[in-house]
Amino acid sequence: MEFAELIKTPRVDNVVLHRPFYPAVEGTLCLTGHHLILSSRQDNTEELWLLHSNIDAIDKRFVGPLGTIIIKCKDFRIIQLDIPGMEECLNIASSIEALSTLDSITLMYPFFYRPMFEVIEDGWHSFLPEQEFELYSSATSEWRLSYVNKEFAVCPSYPPIVIVPKSIDDEALRKVATFRHGGRFPVLSYYHKKNGMVIMRSGQPLTGTNGRRCKEDEKLINATLRAGKRGYIIDTRSLNVAQQARAKGGGFEQEAHYPQWRRIHKSIERYHILQESLIKLVEACNDQTHNMDRWLGKLEASNWLTHIKEILTTACLAAQCIDREGASILIHGTEGTDSTLQVTSLAQIILEPRSRTIRGFEALIEREWLQAGHPFQQRCAQSAYCNSKQKWESPVFLLFLDCVWQILRQFPCSFEFNENFLIMLFEHAYASQFGTFLGNNESERCKLKLQQKTMSLWSWVNRPSELSKFTNPLFEANNLVIWPSVAPQSLQLWEGIFLRWNRSSKYLDEAYEEMVNIIEYNKELQAKVNVLRRQLAELETEDGMQESP
Amino acid sequence: MLIDLSEEYKRMGLPNNYWQLSDVNRDYRVCDSYPTELYVPKSATAHIIVGSSKFRSRRRFPALSYYYKDNHASICRSSQPLSGFSARCLEDEQMLQAIRKANPGSDFIYVVDTRPKLNAMANRAAGKGYENEDNYSNIKFQFIGIENIHVMRSSLQKMLEVCELQSPSMSDFLWGLENSGWLRHIKAIMDAGIFIAKAVSEEGASVLVHCSDGWDRTAQVCSVASLLLDPHYRTLKGFMVLIEKDWISFGHKFNHRYGNLDGDPKEISPVIDQFIECVWQLMEQFPCAFEFNERFLIHIQHHVYSCQFGNFLCNSQKERQELKIQERTYSLWAHLWKNRADYMNPLFRADHSQTRGTLRLPTTPCNFMYKFWSGMYNRFEKGLQPRQSVTDYLMAVKEETQQLEEELEALEERLEKIQKVQLNHTKVKSKPSEPSKHSGFSTSDNSTANTPQDYSGNMKSFPSRSPSQGDEDSALILTQDNLKSSDPDLSANSDQESGVEDLSCRSPSGGECAPSEDSGKDRDSDEAVFLTA
């Protein structure tokens, strides 16, 4: 297919662009295969470059011969284009609609994007499972790398390499896979070096109504326990939901068959409930007509912060089991690709200082989200403005980022990255020139040959010039476990995401700049003083040498 | 430290051709709740003032609150006129005329009644009310609906109940916050202040503000507007002056409002609390605009109620004079000034654009700009506050920067000396001094030292707030008890009241919340498991 077929009118003059907090700009609108561009041909700062894949929905309106297209983006921005001429407007609108909903992944921008920067480190190879495993292998010999899923034959949503208990062979893993939803047998997610406790994750056990059991599954899980120790299974569903799952062949671990494990049910929402919550929240943030009370009411009615609280509480509970109780845990919900990953990754943010560094956080996303098979392609296909009621669209990853932001807000000095880093990840998960978030799992990425055909987000992010934008000036390495508060008073709306286009951030940006300046100046002085001290010391020893003979 | 308001009026540029100091209220002859020193328009004779005062509730005649020297516009304040349904007063009309004439740049003045229209109309039946535009020449009359002290009292009550809920759900909290109406009231006060600041700075029009008696809503609104208009009030000293001027000198009834003495509970209302919160809301939006930090506000609020200093005793200047408050008590301002290092906003810079001129807020009403102030209303629950303070971290950096600057200078000096000495081939050996070891910020040392204890202490916040548990109040009660029984020496309890600044919390990286008893922990978590399983 040629993009040209989709572009009915490639260019329209005298288009007026309206954006909040900017004066209207008149210019020429151009459509390319992947971008919508508006150029005033005067000043570069006024140009609009918008990825079609960032467009979530469009509305069109006509007043006489003047057409208006309102573009609602996946990053929640809303822009308006006034286009003279009804035909041009209709053409542009239908072209945008077609180009923003391409049906083939290989037509997406990452397959066409050629980087304008020098690649210092290829991000596709920055976080290899073998390297990650090495970090553990110095501390423990109880685990091994398994290549049982090399051809994605055992579990289509797992990566080729997983970490499993050393005492369990691949044959047993294959058997366990048949007992777990989607073949997602329990694998190591995190090893707590401090006390050797672990977080494992999996899909739900397929006990069904008959209470089916699997000896290998029981053996695998028990293999992770030290002698005489007990562990916790955290089911991210309520007991009720978990019981209902049995009717569909799913279920949960029966105490009788897992006597050393204690099951805890938490209730984290999933799928369309989260999507509806996002839609309501963004609607409330965009509606500036109502009074103070209605605002709080709408914020409440969206339930967004309730989800945040629920996810954070579960993650804290998991971290508490590991660090305070000294107990290993297994986490799963139904598929083990959504709420499970929210909990395992947030628990690591709490427990593991490395995951609060830029590198470590990237590794966490690579390991716990991308390789762990969170279906980004499905979940992030649409955002807050879409009307489609598809079951698989859900802001699971955004909720995770929001939870990280909540912890960052409570521990502003404990993260190497800043809020902009989280915002950037949100943007790229929904629309990007990079291939990182394409596909639903490693198997699909492999088939798409993303490594060969697209650029990794990390290749771009991990360059010093980019990193400097994402580095938190307040960061002081902190080796401690950080326990966030999950009280409603401590949780806030993430304004940097949800009010980003609805308020001016000028004064806040100035404050950030001021903060950077204060710290930079301090470092500068520190450097100067060090130089002088050294100089002085040299002069003084010279002095002494001259004197001593 | 005594604040001299005549200095403040001088700073505003008074007296001048249009405004003069009036002695009409000498010995509180005209109005016993006003100060003796007042600025009035030059053309307002004693006859006019006295006449006007007879037409105003509690004889609180229009007097100057703030003069904007850039364009001669002013903010004046008074109480409501005794207009009833039709009464007029020539002198009062002349008084407003005089205010208008004192501003050659505008041919009208705004009269802002900060009450809801309904309340103002109800007052007419009691022979009070509001200005009739037909009787006063060239006024633009405006209602701004700020509710009365009784509504505010119950609103705060409701909000505090929400804050004290045991393990509330997100919905409980947000619903409760909304139902309390508190943030709506804060917004109403801000709206009024913004309206006046815009009228003065953008339209160049003078404004007369009143409510009923002109000592609650009027004080709030005048001081918010002044704060928006004049960067001086956004400094540590200027803020003290502002409170001294608009609240203390103009007879805000501290004894009644804050229940300093056993009195009528219906008189109690968080009027100045709301003003202080407005300032905090502004600080959140303009982080570089204020010289002081959140702690400063919290400490002032605390001392409005503490009765530890004389500033906030009594209901009027006259009462304070009779009791010789100035001779017999200490001033809070001196205390705050002495400890000013604790109250500084590290992001404040005198030459920053936010510290100059008027603070401009967006004209479109953004409701989400007003947020729940957890640092104030949950200040005793440290576990709920951010565990690392950016303010304290930056202050530590700045302090170190200052030391570095000094050291740099000293080093340069010595280097120069040695080089000179060497050039002269003299063999006088300067003492090699050990370079003082810089340990980063005191805070980072703390954190490493704290590590082991912190592991036991850092649990508190999580289990205590987990929804399945209810055993969380020990910490809260403990801090409150400390506060109550605390030694009257301010420096001792100032740490507890703000709830954010004891040493362990000051450390940005040791921020694992304050050490708390670990004993109940295991039981807690077992319970959690049990309840949820």
Side-chain angles (χ1 to χ4, degrees):
Chain A
M1 187 202 64
E2 287 291 321
F3 288 121
E5 291 167 20
L6 299 176
I7 303 173
K8 292 176 182 158
T9 303
R11 203 188 127 123
V12 187
D13 288 324
N14 304 104
V15 173
V16 180
L17 164 71
H18 302 270
R19 288 169 296 180
F21 303 109
Y22 287 93
V25 184
E26 188 177 320
T28 302
L29 182 75
C30 297
L31 286 187
T32 71
H34 293 106
H35 286 97
L36 182 147
I37 302 160
L38 187 116
S39 165
S40 64
R41 284 171 298 184
Q42 287 166 358
D43 188 354
N44 283 339
T45 55
E46 289 177 341
E47 282 185 70
L48 174 76
W49 281 78
L50 189 69
L51 262 180
H52 292 317
S53 58
N54 191 1
I55 296 173
D56 203 28
I58 65 169
D59 292 336
K60 33 188 194 283
R61 277 202 310 254
F62 291 96
V63 181
L66 183 77
T68 293
I69 300 180
I70 293 165
I71 297 178
K72 299 176 176 178
C73 301
K74 288 178 187 164
D75 60 12
F76 311 140
R77 178 173 23 164
I78 296 180
I79 55 177
Q80 183 186 324
L81 297 171
D82 294 342
I83 299 172
M86 190 187 272
E87 198 190 329
E88 279 85 353
C89 185
L90 283 171
N91 283 347
I92 294 283
S94 68
S95 305
I96 294 176
E97 239 161 301
L99 290 166
S100 61
T101 51
L102 298 173
D103 51 4
S104 164
I105 295 182
T106 51
L107 288 176
M108 310 262 298
Y109 188 49
F111 288 91
F112 298 81
Y113 170 75
R114 292 294 163 263
M116 305 290 280
F117 58 86
E118 192 198 346
V119 176
I120 301 168
E121 177 195 340
D122 183 356
W124 288 120
H125 306 298
S126 293
F127 307 100
L128 298 175
E130 292 91 337
Q131 289 166 357
E132 292 294 313
F133 181 66
E134 253 166 49
L135 293 173
Y136 293 142
S137 52
S138 61
T140 174
S141 55
E142 294 159 20
W143 299 83
R144 69 178 180 96
L145 286 176
S146 165
Y147 298 84
V148 68
N149 199 38
K150 206 162 63 191
E151 308 294 329
F152 305 107
V154 178
C155 172
S157 63
Y158 268 174
I161 307 172
V162 290
I163 304 174
V164 295
K166 199 167 213 169
S167 56
I168 304 297
D169 61 24
D170 284 357
E171 203 40 52
L173 293 178
R174 281 192 193 94
K175 282 198 183 122
V176 176
T178 61
F179 182 66
R180 290 278 170 178
H181 192 113
R184 295 174 69 92
F185 54 88
V187 295
L188 182 79
S189 160
Y190 171 68
Y191 180 85
H192 196 47
K193 282 190 185 163
K194 198 173 113 195
N195 58 11
M197 295 302 123
V198 297
I199 300 177
M200 284 180 298
R201 52 178 160 74
S202 67
Q204 64 178 341
L206 303 175
T207 56
T209 38
N210 307 332
R212 200 180 140 217
R213 58 189 285 197
C214 169
K215 289 276 182 211
E216 287 80 5
D217 190 74
E218 291 158 24
K219 193 174 159 225
L220 190 162
I221 293 178
N222 284 335
T224 65
L225 290 181
R226 304 257 168 90
K229 281 277 192 179
R230 291 164 64 92
Y232 292 96
I233 294 171
I234 297 180
D235 192 325
T236 61
R237 305 163 295 181
S238 68
L239 180 59
N240 210 359
V241 174
Q243 277 167 343
Q244 283 163 10
R246 288 192 297 201
K248 291 182 201 154
F252 51 86
E253 294 82 356
Q254 293 291 344
E255 276 96 345
H257 304 150
Y258 300 84
Q260 285 153 285
W261 294 81
R262 201 157 181 184
R263 218 176 56 247
I264 305 172
H265 287 278
K266 300 298 280 184
S267 155
I268 298 179
E269 292 294 351
R270 54 203 75 217
Y271 307 135
H272 63 282
I273 293 181
L274 302 180
Q275 185 71 9
E276 275 160 27
S277 179
L278 176 69
I279 291 170
K280 279 188 200 157
L281 176 65
V282 171
E283 195 180 281
C285 292
N286 286 340
D287 179 2
Q288 302 187 9
T289 55
H290 47 65
N291 61 33
M292 193 69 222
D293 280 359
R294 297 238 336 261
W295 156 246
L296 284 173
K298 286 191 163 191
L299 180 62
E300 189 277 328
S302 80
N303 271 326
W304 184 264
L305 288 170
T306 301
H307 302 316
I308 295 285
K309 182 166 155 48
E310 205 55 59
I311 296 165
L312 267 178
T313 304
T314 310
C316 287
L317 179 72
Q320 184 189 21
C321 290
I322 296 278
D323 190 67
R324 315 302 302 188
E325 304 272 313
S328 287
I329 49 174
L330 168 67
I331 302 176
H332 67 75
T334 305
E335 289 95 338
T337 55
D338 295 286
S339 55
T340 303
L341 305 182
Q342 288 172 331
V343 175
T344 58
S345 52
L346 286 168
Q348 292 179 55
I349 297 274
I350 294 165
L351 292 168
E352 170 63 71
R354 193 172 76 95
S355 64
R356 293 172 229 143
T357 65
I358 290 180
R359 253 339 242 219
F361 191 67
E362 290 170 359
L364 183 78
I365 287 177
E366 188 69 35
R367 206 170 62 233
E368 291 299 303
W369 290 87
L370 292 163
Q371 290 169 15
H374 175 67
F376 278 99
Q377 191 76 39
Q378 290 180 347
R379 297 286 180 265
C380 303
Q382 298 269 259
S383 176
Y385 299 119
C386 83
N387 302 317
S388 87
K389 287 262 151 69
Q390 301 285 16
K391 197 191 170 189
W392 53 74
E393 283 148 8
S394 184
V396 176
F397 187 61
L398 176 57
L399 277 162
F400 159 71
L401 294 176
D402 195 334
C403 288
V404 176
W405 178 81
Q406 303 284 350
I407 307 176
L408 168 63
R409 204 190 67 82
Q410 294 185 27
F411 295 89
C413 306
S414 294
F415 289 80
E416 193 188 8
F417 50 87
N418 59 20
E419 180 180 0
N420 293 334
F421 189 62
L422 300 173
I423 296 174
M424 179 275 294
L425 289 170
F426 159 68
E427 289 177 334
H428 284 280
Y430 280 83
S432 176
Q433 66 269 45
F434 302 107
T436 298
F437 291 109
L438 291 182
N440 289 310
N441 49 52
E442 286 299 282
S443 162
E444 286 187 24
R445 285 184 199 104
C446 225
K447 282 183 203 124
L448 290 166
K449 296 201 170 47
L450 291 182
Q451 293 202 9
Q452 293 83 34
K453 295 186 170 172
T454 73
M455 177 66 50
S456 161
L457 172 66
W458 314 128
S459 304
W460 172 71
V461 170
N462 287 333
R463 291 154 54 246
S465 57
E466 292 307 320
L467 280 180
S468 65
K469 290 181 221 159
F470 301 130
T471 306
N472 175 11
L474 300 172
F475 177 59
E476 281 207 330
N478 172 355
N479 285 321
L480 307 173
V481 177
I482 55 174
W483 299 103
S485 162
V486 296
Q489 291 97 320
S490 309
L491 303 178
Q492 287 188 1
L493 177 73
W494 187 5
E495 297 183 15
I497 281 277
F498 295 107
L499 301 179
R500 188 176 173 197
W501 313 103
N502 299 328
R503 48 134 214 213
S504 157
S505 61
K506 178 169 174 264
Y507 303 115
L508 303 179
D509 294 344
E510 283 174 0
Y512 185 82
E513 214 173 286
E514 195 64 26
M515 187 171 86
V516 171
N517 289 342
I518 289 170
I519 292 165
E520 287 300 309
Y521 179 55
N522 176 278
K523 284 186 185 155
E524 218 174 278
L525 279 181
Q526 186 82 61
K528 272 189 198 160
V529 164
N530 285 341
V531 168
L532 285 187
R533 276 191 205 145
R534 222 174 300 129
Q535 253 180 334
L536 202 64
E538 274 167 23
L539 280 175
E540 277 167 349
T541 43
E542 253 173 59
D543 218 21
M545 299 234 293
Q546 283 170 7
E547 208 173 300
S548 50
Chain B
M1 189 172 81
L2 281 178
I3 282 170
D4 183 359
L5 285 181
S6 59
E7 277 300 314
E8 170 57 15
Y9 289 109
K10 216 182 272 173
R11 190 193 66 85
M12 289 183 203
L14 301 178
N16 64 8
N17 286 338
Y18 304 107
W19 294 90
Q20 64 181 8
L21 186 66
S22 165
D23 66 348
V24 70
N25 202 34
R26 190 176 352 117
D27 302 326
Y28 308 100
R29 281 183 307 197
V30 176
C31 172
D32 60 0
S33 62
Y34 262 8
T36 51
E37 294 198 349
L38 284 162
Y39 275 84
V40 293
K42 243 184 186 164
S43 60
T45 61
H47 171 73
I48 292 177
I49 297 172
V50 172
S52 164
S53 78
K54 288 178 180 155
F55 190 62
R56 295 271 167 184
S57 274
R58 312 207 184 241
R59 310 195 70 180
R60 291 169 70 92
F61 56 88
L64 183 98
S65 162
Y66 179 69
Y67 175 74
Y68 191 61
K69 60 180 168 218
D70 294 18
N71 63 8
H72 306 295
S74 63
I75 302 174
C76 295
R77 54 185 290 177
S78 70
S79 58
Q80 64 187 337
L82 304 176
S83 51
F85 289 99
S86 60
R88 300 180 58 161
C89 167
L90 183 64
E91 290 87 350
D92 194 61
E93 289 161 25
Q94 286 171 333
M95 186 73 196
L96 267 63
Q97 190 91 321
I99 292 172
R100 179 176 63 80
K101 282 184 186 151
N103 176 11
S106 178
D107 52 11
F108 71 93
I109 65 168
Y110 279 109
V111 176
V112 172
D113 189 327
T114 57
R115 299 169 292 183
K117 188 172 183 183
L118 216 61
N119 301 19
M121 282 167 68
N123 263 296
R124 290 202 298 192
K128 300 163 188 174
Y130 53 93
E131 290 81 357
N132 184 337
E133 270 183 330
D134 297 338
N135 298 342
Y136 294 82
S137 52
N138 303 315
I139 68 164
K140 287 191 183 173
F141 187 83
Q142 179 89 34
F143 283 114
I144 293 182
I146 303 174
E147 298 290 347
N148 65 27
I149 57 167
H150 311 295
V151 174
M152 300 305 191
R153 179 177 58 242
S154 86
S155 172
L156 177 67
Q157 189 57 43
K158 283 186 204 154
M159 184 177 69
L160 291 178
E161 279 165 18
V162 175
C163 294
E164 285 156 16
L165 285 178
Q166 303 283 316
S167 314
S169 73
M170 206 71 223
S171 292
D172 293 341
F173 177 72
L174 289 173
W175 267 119
L177 189 58
E178 166 170 336
N179 287 337
S180 77
W182 182 258
L183 289 174
R184 176 161 48 89
H185 300 314
I186 294 293
K187 184 174 183 294
I189 297 164
M190 287 298 302
D191 284 348
I194 293 166
F195 174 84
I196 293 164
K198 275 194 199 300
V200 167
S201 69
E202 288 170 23
E203 294 184 63
S206 294
V207 184
L208 171 66
V209 186
H210 69 72
C211 44
S212 296
D213 290 316
W215 50 40
D216 293 316
R217 287 167 276 202
T218 300
Q220 291 175 330
V221 168
C222 287
S223 46
V224 168
S226 304
L227 196 79
L228 290 170
L229 286 167
D230 194 333
H232 178 65
Y233 297 128
R234 306 194 289 260
T235 64
L236 218 61
K237 251 189 185 154
F239 190 71
M240 300 173 185
V241 169
L242 184 64
I243 290 181
E244 195 73 40
K245 172 172 73 78
D246 275 328
W247 295 83
I248 297 173
S249 88
F250 270 101
H252 176 65
K253 301 200 292 174
F254 283 95
N255 273 3
H256 287 169
R257 293 294 174 262
Y258 312 109
N260 290 346
L261 298 171
D262 191 24
D264 182 358
K266 286 211 173 75
E267 282 284 315
I268 293 175
S269 186
V271 183
I272 200 169
D273 303 59
Q274 289 183 314
F275 165 64
I276 290 172
E277 176 163 341
C278 285
V279 181
W280 178 80
Q281 301 279 359
L282 281 170
M283 282 167 54
E284 286 287 293
Q285 294 170 46
F286 298 92
C288 305
F290 293 83
E291 190 188 20
F292 46 84
N293 58 28
E294 178 184 20
R295 193 179 302 148
F296 184 63
L297 296 179
I298 292 173
H299 285 194
I300 290 176
Q301 192 269 0
H302 171 75
H303 286 299
V304 165
Y305 290 86
S306 76
C307 296
Q308 208 166 325
F309 295 93
N311 310 60
F312 304 127
L313 297 180
C314 304
N315 289 323
S316 67
Q317 205 72 293
K318 182 167 180 246
E319 281 183 24
R320 273 184 284 272
Q321 215 159 52
E322 284 163 2
L323 285 172
K324 295 190 170 44
I325 294 284
Q326 274 193 10
E327 291 102 276
R328 295 163 67 191
T329 69
Y330 287 98
S331 165
L332 171 64
W333 308 134
H335 171 76
L336 294 177
W337 186 250
K338 196 179 80 202
N339 298 304
R340 60 187 174 277
D342 290 344
Y343 303 124
M344 290 298 197
N345 171 15
L347 298 174
F348 178 84
R349 186 156 50 77
D351 54 354
H352 194 282
S353 62
Q354 287 183 31
T355 60
R356 278 178 293 173
T358 307
L359 290 186
R360 288 183 201 283
L361 285 129
T363 30
T364 48
C366 295
N367 306 301
F368 40 70
M369 287 192 324
Y370 301 105
K371 292 183 285 197
F372 172 70
W373 188 8
S374 138
M376 171 65 87
Y377 302 106
N378 285 110
R379 70 182 120 155
F380 299 111
E381 288 160 274
K382 283 189 180 177
L384 300 190
Q385 308 305 326
R387 249 42 82 68
Q388 295 167 334
S389 157
V390 175
T391 298
D392 291 335
Y393 180 89
L394 290 176
M395 281 317 285
V397 171
K398 279 188 124 173
E399 202 179 307
E400 199 209 42
T401 300
Q402 205 182 344
Q403 287 166 6
L404 284 170
E405 275 171 343
E406 284 162 19
E407 195 189 343
L408 194 66
E409 207 176 306
L411 283 171
E412 275 166 352
E413 227 168 76
R414 261 178 50 206
L415 208 58
E416 209 176 309
K417 228 187 247 164
I418 290 179
Q419 279 163 341
K420 233 184 248 163
V421 168
Q422 287 190 333
L423 277 175
N424 294 342
H425 299 289
T426 41
K427 296 269 177 180
V428 185
K429 194 189 168 208
S430 66
K431 255 181 227 162
S433 73
E434 201 56 32
S436 67
K437 195 176 163 287
H438 268 280
S439 48
F441 313 116
S442 54
T443 51
S444 51
D445 287 348
N446 253 341
S447 72
T448 19
N450 272 344
T451 309
Q453 298 100 297
D454 276 333
Y455 279 126
S456 61
N458 60 26
M459 267 294 278
K460 190 67 194 172
S461 63
F462 163 62
S464 72
R465 278 287 152 181
S466 139
S468 48
Q469 296 159 24
D471 165 14
E472 66 213 80
D473 268 13
S474 52
L476 168 64
I477 290 162
L478 200 72
T479 14
Q480 279 179 336
D481 281 345
N482 282 350
L483 188 64
K484 276 185 204 138
S485 63
S486 75
D487 171 272
D489 171 10
L490 223 254
S491 57
N493 74 22
S494 59
D495 274 343
Q496 288 143 0
E497 73 214 20
S498 73
V500 281
E501 59 246 47
D502 78 352
L503 203 64
S504 66
C505 282
R506 180 164 297 160
S507 151
S509 45
E512 302 263 86
C513 67
S516 53
E517 42 301 289
D518 204 9
S519 53
K521 182 130 345 95
D522 289 346
R523 183 180 53 76
D524 272 358
S525 29
D526 272 339
E527 189 179 43
V529 170
F530 186 70
L531 283 172
T532 43

